[in-house]
Amino acid sequence: MSVLTSPRGKVEVVHCRRTESQDIYCIKNLIRKFTQKLFGNLNIIYLLEKANLAITLHNDQEEIMAQATFLDYPNWNIATQDDWVSVFRELDSDIPCTPLNTLFMHLFVAVEEYSVGCCKEIIRTVFKAVPDLHFVFLIVPSCMSLGSTLITAFSQVGCVPSLTNDEDFAVHVCHRQNHYPQLHIRKARVEDHDDLMPIFLHHDTILKETYGEYFLAELIEAQDEENHAVVCEVEGVAVGFMSVCSQVNLQLLHKCFDLGPFHGLCIPHQDDILEPPQEFSIHESSDSKLENISEESQKIVKEPQEAVSLETRESIQRKGAEATVEEALSPVVSENTSEVEDSEKLSQVSSMVYMGYYTSHRSSLSLSLPEDTSSFRPVYRGASTAFCIQLFFIDKKYEARSLDFMNFVFHLFHDKDFCIISVPHLTPEFVLIQSFVKVVPFNNCTLDQDLYIFHRAGLLKTIKIRLATLSDTPGVEKLVSTLMPSKSILEDLKQYNEARRDPDGTPLQVFVAEVAEQVVGIAVIRNEMDIEYIRSHYNIEDFIYFNHHQREEHGHLYHFVLNPIFRHYTKFFLKEILRLGYKSCLYYPVYPQVKESKVQSPKAHSLTSALHYLVPVRPRRQIVYPLEKLGINAPSKEVSKDTLSYALNHTNRKLSLEPKITINAKIVVVGASNVGISFLETLVFCSHLKFSNLTLISTYGLPGKKLLGNEQRKFLANDLTSLLDDSQTQEASPHLGSLCSPVAQMVKNLPALQETQVRSLGLEDPRRRTWQPTPVFLSGEFHGRRSLVGYSP
């Protein structure tokens, strides 16, 4: 919320939000002839469909005051969308623009009376919403002036010619430091106490009640070589505080969390015990070994916030495994320079690219691990290489710049490579830990806190996404060497380098992420060939206007592997795939299961760490067509074909900078009734939320799964769902019917509860009960067969 004052003294309270489709009519009404001369004749609906970020400013009466649209490539055809960096580097070498730190303004409209204030508010909001953004460019015809509004935020840096005609265009730039600058970080002083206490008491009063009114000043005074306190300041006033300590209870963390991929947060030592003793090792079949490897890789491939689901928790019951640490980063710090200058310095030192277990496994595998290895815990003899954050708070106004602390605190601990922080389950996810990796807890973990880790190399800003080349093959082989689908990924890379398409003619694209000349990520996409089936069987138009996307703009994601220490660049990786691949949408299916150790999907997929940034798409309820009777009137084969049901996940350009809130609260649903499944389905399909800790307790598994014989099933309650066969049930709700939704990752096929276990939950053994159907209505609405009708005794 901000207050704007017009030149005539009128006052308006305005609010910022993402642009919605219902704003289009008002946006069109704000377009003037001058606007068309600056930005051209635009199709507003099409522009918003392809925009990475669109901001609307409205007043208390919900009247649109201003709107701006931003894309990751320039307008007016001055450069192609996949190769504009070189053009702007030649224009002004003093502006280190990259795809990571640059956006382009393609439209700005505002109510004339408040246009200057609206422009500044939108620009500030954009820099706040995208922390890595440093430059916003505006390209207009060279014969046009910016007018009295845009000139207040943009300054000209040069002219460039058009690719299609002889006209020249003026390039203007807006810098972050003029609107939402990087915070200045320094060591804390006792005199900062008075500035910090009001901010701290806004968040918590327990510490003050426990340790006294001046505990913060005492904490600052107690600084030594192992304990440091730092603050961020704005105009000489401290607005944030962080206390860090090099003493970490690694013994406790090793017991509660799977730190194998991070080598236990210790320096490698020759006496480390990383494999279980011979007497605990077991003979596994080839299929079982594949499942173990898949589980190991899934633990990192999975988005950290999803780590508490059963499948991910099973992943910690594996052989001890650790990363190969190549070389540690030398500490580089700059207190007063911008993030861009910091990243340039960091790129000059050799990076430690952690070659641990990356997140990838065949998504449709049904996983089961032997219990023999669950008791083994690796033993690390090396010295600790981690420090912890003991206390952190910051003024909400500057929360988006929380990561500015990290460069300074790593400088305080030259010999440490990891920063860790633990937070209670119910603590809302704050901006700082969104760049951290959440660690998978062991099954027997009793701590009521989540552990997050950040690596020194995560400060690098030199990440580059590009199309793969033949010379990338050794780096990719090293990257995926520990993954189960490594053979499939390498075959796709070879096919791309040889022909750029599959043998059947399907276009193929392979992208790699590169940091300090090392490959740290790879993604494989193909053109989506079943787009008619997707449109008819899934509510994809909840997210896009389908007619504004060309057929070749729909891509199918097959593999996505990214080093976990660069996980916070996943969204950027996906955005670059869309830009460089000339795509507007990506689709990723999750198939339900494997039969006879063969993946049911036509091509092998790998479960990706990008799932947190994809949204699940609801399936459509299908009409069963009598094809033989309809004859020539039957729908096309692309729509009516019988194919394996899958859970569909999706992203597009509009979602590339959309935030997603993680909810770590533990949610346990007892019973796979219609109400229970409907409740979980509602949580799963929240596109802007991600519930990382969903558990379903069901004695007899999920609906649609024949876990019992026909005779045994007669003793269970019947409902409308049971009238459907398995294929219909899974088709009606593949996300929950197969329980393979990558967003929820709920418990699948829990072992049957013993009678004592059932009673411990306050229930009686359901096999001794007679159940009568009783409709249950929630929220005063009835949403159909599966949604809200359940059964109670």
Side-chain angles (χ1 to χ4, degrees):
M1 182 185 72
S2 299
V3 179
L4 303 182
T5 304
S6 70
R8 294 189 294 177
K10 291 185 179 180
V11 176
E12 280 283 1
V13 177
V14 296
H15 310 266
C16 274
R17 60 169 171 81
R18 300 289 175 124
T19 300
E20 302 171 355
S21 57
Q22 62 189 16
D23 300 334
I24 294 175
Y25 177 78
C26 295
I27 294 172
K28 290 181 178 179
N29 290 337
L30 292 175
I31 294 178
R32 304 289 184 263
K33 290 184 178 180
F34 180 74
T35 307
Q36 294 178 340
K37 292 180 180 179
L38 283 181
F39 300 102
N41 294 321
L42 301 174
N43 183 328
I44 304 301
I45 300 178
Y46 180 83
L47 180 65
L48 294 179
E49 277 295 294
K50 301 304 175 67
N52 298 101
L53 183 62
I55 301 295
T56 294
L57 217 60
H58 65 90
N59 59 15
D60 289 336
Q61 290 75 39
E62 294 293 331
E63 297 172 342
I64 305 300
M65 302 295 294
Q67 197 276 338
T69 306
F70 303 87
L71 279 77
D72 55 3
Y73 59 87
N75 53 346
W76 287 113
N77 291 324
I78 65 169
T80 58
Q81 75 176 49
D82 63 333
D83 187 26
W84 58 262
V85 177
S86 58
V87 175
F88 285 79
R89 289 280 179 85
E90 295 175 359
L91 184 66
D92 190 343
S93 59
D94 294 332
I95 301 178
C97 58
T98 66
L100 177 65
N101 63 23
T102 303
L103 285 178
F104 296 86
M105 178 182 282
H106 281 230
L107 177 65
F108 173 79
V109 294
V111 175
E112 188 172 353
E113 189 173 3
Y114 300 93
S115 59
V116 175
C118 289
C119 177
K120 293 181 178 180
E121 181 64 20
I122 286 180
I123 292 295
R124 190 189 68 84
T125 301
V126 170
F127 282 121
K128 184 177 180 180
V130 189
D132 290 322
L133 182 66
H134 283 274
F135 309 104
V136 174
F137 283 97
L138 172 63
I139 294 94
V140 300
S142 57
C143 60
M144 294 291 299
S145 65
L146 292 184
S148 59
T149 300
L150 294 173
I151 195 66
T152 61
F154 292 86
S155 58
Q156 186 171 348
V157 294
C159 292
V160 293
S162 173
L163 296 177
T164 56
N165 53 51
D166 296 332
E167 187 177 2
D168 289 339
F169 292 87
V171 178
H172 303 261
V173 65
C174 175
H175 295 269
R176 163 181 286 279
Q177 62 262 27
N178 298 330
H179 299 272
Y180 195 74
Q182 182 181 4
L183 298 176
H184 172 64
I185 312 298
R186 60 169 173 80
K187 293 291 290 290
R189 299 188 292 262
V190 177
E191 50 266 31
D192 296 322
H193 176 269
D194 293 341
D195 295 329
L196 294 172
M197 282 306 294
I199 303 173
F200 175 74
L201 294 178
H202 178 73
H203 296 280
D204 192 3
T205 59
I206 297 178
L207 289 179
K208 179 183 176 182
E209 296 172 356
T210 304
Y211 298 105
E213 184 176 358
Y214 299 101
F215 85 96
L216 195 58
E218 295 170 355
L219 186 62
I220 295 174
E221 286 182 332
Q223 295 185 72
D224 53 30
E225 293 182 356
E226 295 183 344
N227 298 273
H228 298 277
V230 297
V231 298
C232 61
E233 68 174 14
V234 175
E235 298 180 353
V237 178
V239 296
F241 177 84
M242 178 181 288
S243 174
V244 291
C245 177
S246 62
Q247 296 181 358
V248 179
N249 189 347
L250 289 182
Q251 184 178 2
L252 176 62
L253 296 182
H254 290 164
K255 291 181 180 179
C256 297
F257 297 95
D258 184 9
L259 296 172
F262 306 99
H263 201 88
L265 304 178
C266 297
I267 297 175
H269 192 276
Q270 60 181 1
D271 296 331
D272 290 339
I273 303 176
L274 307 176
E275 298 291 338
Q278 187 65 29
E279 57 269 20
F280 289 104
S281 62
I282 59 174
H283 176 72
E284 297 175 314
S285 64
S286 58
D287 290 343
S288 179
K289 291 179 180 179
L290 288 177
E291 291 173 354
N292 282 334
I293 296 173
S294 175
E295 281 295 299
E296 292 170 3
S297 58
Q298 180 187 349
K299 184 183 69 60
I300 300 298
V301 175
K302 279 289 304 143
E303 184 63 23
Q305 287 84 353
E306 298 171 356
V308 287
S309 65
L310 176 62
E311 290 188 1
T312 312
R313 285 189 175 185
E314 285 180 341
S315 71
I316 53 86
Q317 299 177 357
R318 58 173 173 77
K319 300 175 182 179
E322 70 289 334
T324 302
V325 180
E326 295 181 351
E327 185 177 354
L329 281 172
S330 299
V332 177
V333 66
S334 175
E335 297 185 14
N336 301 310
T337 56
S338 65
E339 284 185 358
V340 178
E341 294 170 334
D342 289 344
S343 65
E344 290 176 348
K345 293 182 179 180
L346 283 168
S347 65
Q348 296 173 2
V349 298
S350 59
S351 68
M352 174 262 227
V353 179
Y354 153 71
M355 296 300 298
Y357 288 89
Y358 301 86
T359 58
S360 179
H361 93 323
R362 290 185 191 274
S363 59
S364 36
L365 281 176
S366 178
L367 303 169
S368 60
L369 284 175
E371 297 180 358
D372 297 4
T373 60
S374 62
S375 60
F376 173 74
R377 299 288 184 268
V379 178
Y380 306 97
R381 308 292 189 186
S384 171
T385 182
F387 66 92
C388 65
I389 298 176
Q390 292 181 314
L391 179 63
F392 171 77
F393 58 88
I394 190 171
D395 191 326
K396 187 176 182 180
K397 183 179 179 181
Y398 304 99
E399 185 181 16
R401 302 302 312 170
S402 298
L403 202 61
D404 293 344
F405 278 96
M406 301 309 300
N407 200 17
F408 190 91
V409 295
F410 271 110
H411 172 65
L412 299 176
F413 299 103
H414 298 275
D415 58 337
K416 307 297 184 182
D417 291 324
F418 294 97
C419 174
I420 66 174
I421 183 174
S422 62
V423 296
H425 296 310
L426 297 180
T427 300
E429 186 182 55
F430 47 95
V431 174
L432 180 64
I433 61 174
Q434 290 176 358
S435 298
F436 283 55
V437 177
K438 186 178 178 183
V439 183
V440 180
F442 286 123
N443 280 349
N444 58 356
C445 177
T446 57
L447 294 181
D448 58 350
Q449 301 210 355
D450 295 311
L451 181 66
Y452 293 84
I453 292 179
F454 186 87
H455 189 272
R456 180 187 294 272
L459 295 171
L460 289 167
K461 302 296 183 183
T462 56
I463 184 170
K464 179 182 179 181
I465 313 300
R466 56 174 175 79
L467 288 167
T469 62
L470 188 61
S471 61
D472 294 322
T473 302
V476 174
E477 290 177 348
K478 188 176 182 180
L479 176 72
V480 303
S481 60
T482 60
L483 306 183
M484 175 186 161
S486 59
K487 182 179 179 181
S488 175
I489 295 174
L490 294 175
E491 287 176 351
D492 286 341
L493 177 61
K494 180 180 178 182
Q495 183 68 28
Y496 169 77
N497 286 324
E498 291 178 351
R500 297 294 195 267
R501 59 184 64 245
D502 286 330
D504 61 1
T506 303
L508 171 68
Q509 291 177 307
V510 179
F511 301 89
V512 295
E514 186 181 59
V515 177
E517 299 182 353
Q518 298 185 59
V519 176
V520 299
I522 183 172
V524 178
I525 69 169
R526 293 176 169 86
N527 280 12
E528 179 55 72
M529 307 307 293
D530 289 331
I531 192 61
E532 291 86 1
Y533 179 86
I534 289 177
R535 187 183 185 187
S536 61
H537 284 72
Y538 297 89
N539 288 323
I540 191 62
E541 290 181 285
D542 288 347
F543 302 97
I544 63 173
Y545 284 104
F546 192 85
N547 293 333
H548 288 279
H549 298 262
Q550 302 296 322
R551 183 180 182 88
E552 61 273 11
E553 290 182 315
H554 297 276
H556 187 119
L557 182 65
Y558 278 83
H559 304 287
F560 187 98
V561 179
L562 185 62
N563 189 310
I565 63 178
F566 299 107
R567 183 199 64 84
H568 52 289
Y569 288 129
T570 302
K571 190 185 297 185
F572 170 68
F573 198 169
L574 292 173
K575 183 172 75 72
E576 283 295 275
I577 290 174
L578 295 174
R579 181 181 70 88
L580 298 174
Y582 287 85
K583 304 297 181 186
S584 59
C585 301
L586 285 179
Y587 304 92
Y588 177 76
V590 178
Y591 291 88
Q593 61 186 4
V594 170
K595 291 183 179 179
E596 298 179 358
S597 301
K598 294 183 179 180
V599 180
Q600 293 180 348
S601 58
K603 292 188 176 67
H605 291 71
S606 60
L607 190 61
T608 80
S609 57
L611 288 173
H612 172 66
Y613 302 99
L614 306 179
V615 295
V617 184
R618 284 184 178 272
R620 294 178 183 268
R621 300 189 66 180
Q622 296 298 303
I623 300 174
V624 180
Y625 295 99
L627 300 179
E628 296 181 357
K629 295 181 179 180
L630 291 176
I632 61 174
N633 296 319
S636 67
K637 294 181 179 179
E638 296 297 329
V639 174
S640 60
K641 66 180 179 180
D642 185 16
T643 186
L644 180 66
S645 299
Y646 53 82
L648 183 66
N649 298 271
H650 163 77
T651 190
N652 56 58
R653 294 185 62 87
K654 293 185 295 185
L655 298 175
S656 61
L657 293 177
E658 187 78 18
K660 200 169 187 179
I661 302 173
T662 299
I663 308 298
N664 288 325
K666 293 183 178 180
I667 301 176
V668 180
V669 177
V670 180
S673 66
N674 284 353
V675 172
I677 296 297
S678 173
F679 172 72
L680 290 173
E681 187 180 66
T682 302
L683 300 183
V684 167
F685 286 107
C686 290
S687 60
H688 63 288
L689 297 176
K690 182 215 157 176
F691 295 88
S692 64
N693 202 339
L694 297 179
T695 301
L696 174 64
I697 297 178
S698 176
T699 307
Y700 302 106
L702 290 166
K705 299 290 184 180
K706 289 185 177 180
L707 302 181
L708 300 176
N710 291 332
E711 295 298 325
Q712 293 171 301
R713 294 179 66 86
K714 292 179 181 179
F715 291 92
L716 300 180
N718 290 325
D719 58 15
L720 296 177
T721 304
S722 65
L723 298 179
L724 300 175
D725 60 25
D726 293 345
S727 61
Q728 289 174 309
T729 303
Q730 293 185 8
E731 182 178 4
S733 184
H735 273 281
L736 293 173
S738 65
L739 207 61
C740 287
S741 170
V743 178
Q745 284 296 316
M746 298 175 297
V747 172
K748 176 167 64 176
N749 300 343
L750 279 176
L753 294 174
Q754 301 296 326
E755 181 176 352
T756 56
Q757 292 177 300
V758 176
R759 293 187 183 278
S760 68
L761 293 174
L763 305 174
E764 296 183 14
D765 189 336
R767 291 165 286 191
R768 300 182 180 179
R769 299 289 301 274
T770 300
W771 296 76
Q772 298 296 331
T774 303
V776 177
F777 298 87
L778 303 180
S779 302
E781 295 181 320
F782 177 73
H783 293 290
R785 173 185 55 79
R786 252 181 22 263
S787 296
L788 296 176
V789 179
Y791 296 92
S792 59

